[in-house]
Amino acid sequence: MSRTVFCRKYQKEMEGLNFPPMPGARGQEIYENVSKQAWEEWQAQQTMLINEKHLSLMDPNTRKYLQAQMERFFNNEPFDKAEGYVPPEQ
């Protein structure tokens, strides 16, 4: 049986992650309060931001920017999106 968490993005009980997605307190907080679905959606959004904005993860400011956008995403606040991105037709 998978573990469940009360997802802060969707405000309901959902399947949780199998392990913290990063070390430290931030990873533990995500593990305890973010669903697997919300984390996967953030990963896709983060990848689009990195690719479309040509971000370098070697830059500490980029990492701070992405962490801030992640918090906004999980808190259902306005967050940056990749400009000009058009999802493929289903």
Side-chain angles (χ1 to χ4, degrees):
M1 184 173 179
S2 63
R3 71 183 264 290
T4 61
V5 297
F6 186 81
C7 180
R8 76 184 215 205
K9 178 158 182 65
Y10 292 106
Q11 296 295 300
K12 64 181 181 178
E13 287 288 326
M14 297 178 74
E15 181 181 358
L17 295 166
N18 295 327
F19 51 85
M22 59 186 73
R26 178 167 277 146
Q28 189 63 34
E29 192 274 328
I30 291 169
Y31 177 73
E32 293 171 0
N33 299 296
V34 173
S35 67
K36 185 176 185 178
Q37 177 184 334
W39 179 254
E40 289 171 355
E41 289 171 4
W42 165 247
Q43 291 294 103
Q45 180 65 36
Q46 176 179 254
T47 299
M48 282 193 287
L49 286 173
I50 292 167
N51 290 339
E52 296 299 320
K53 294 183 178 281
H54 307 284
L55 301 176
S56 169
L57 295 176
M58 297 295 290
D59 180 359
N61 291 327
T62 293
R63 293 192 300 271
K64 287 179 188 174
Y65 165 77
L66 289 172
Q67 288 176 359
Q69 294 307 308
M70 177 180 69
E71 290 301 315
R72 296 177 72 80
F73 179 83
F74 290 140
N75 291 334
N76 292 312
E77 298 170 355
F79 59 92
D80 287 351
K81 296 183 173 83
E83 292 119 25
Y85 174 74
V86 178
E89 295 201 21
Q90 300 279 326

